[in-house]
Amino acid sequence: MEQRLRLNEFKALYKTLKTNTPWVDHLLLGVLVFIENILINNRVKVELDEAIKEWEDTLPPPPPPIYTETPSDTSTKLPEMRLRAPWVVGTDDTAEGG
């Protein structure tokens, strides 16, 4: 796996810190690539979190649920209560298949 620096700041830093000793240069390059990857991942995470937050702020609030209560003909004589989302089209009878 080839190690490359992607950001110009890290490329310039590597050029200034570079020595003529190959193993030291390779170690320096590895450390800079590691730090650069952490920095890039952090920048991406922050940008995405901010974009998602801005997008969520533009969404309208969800509508309140619909509450219905109908009298029951059962032996307990308790009313039938339903709570459903307003964006669901139809009744619960069609959802149950009958």
Side-chain angles (χ1 to χ4, degrees):
M1 184 168 148
E2 181 182 347
Q3 295 181 344
R4 290 186 325 186
L5 295 171
R6 293 177 276 186
L7 300 177
N8 289 333
E9 297 90 3
F10 281 87
K11 289 178 183 178
L13 182 62
Y14 178 67
K15 286 180 182 178
T16 58
L17 297 175
K18 188 175 179 181
T19 64
N20 288 332
T21 311
W23 68 272
V24 173
D25 291 342
H26 186 68
L27 181 65
L28 176 65
L29 179 63
V31 169
L32 289 177
V33 166
F34 177 74
I35 294 171
E36 183 185 48
N37 284 337
I38 291 174
L39 180 71
I40 289 173
N41 289 339
N42 190 29
R43 283 184 185 174
V44 168
K45 183 181 181 311
V46 168
E47 288 292 324
L48 280 175
D49 288 346
E50 288 175 0
I52 290 172
K53 184 173 175 147
E54 287 176 12
W55 176 74
E56 285 177 344
D57 290 343
T58 62
L59 292 176
I66 298 173
Y67 173 76
T68 57
E69 188 173 322
T70 56
S72 176
D73 293 333
T74 60
S75 62
T76 59
K77 301 292 185 195
L78 292 175
E80 181 180 302
M81 297 181 287
R82 293 185 181 195
L83 186 66
R84 71 180 170 95
W87 55 85
V88 175
V89 178
T91 63
D92 287 340
D93 294 335
T94 59
E96 293 173 1

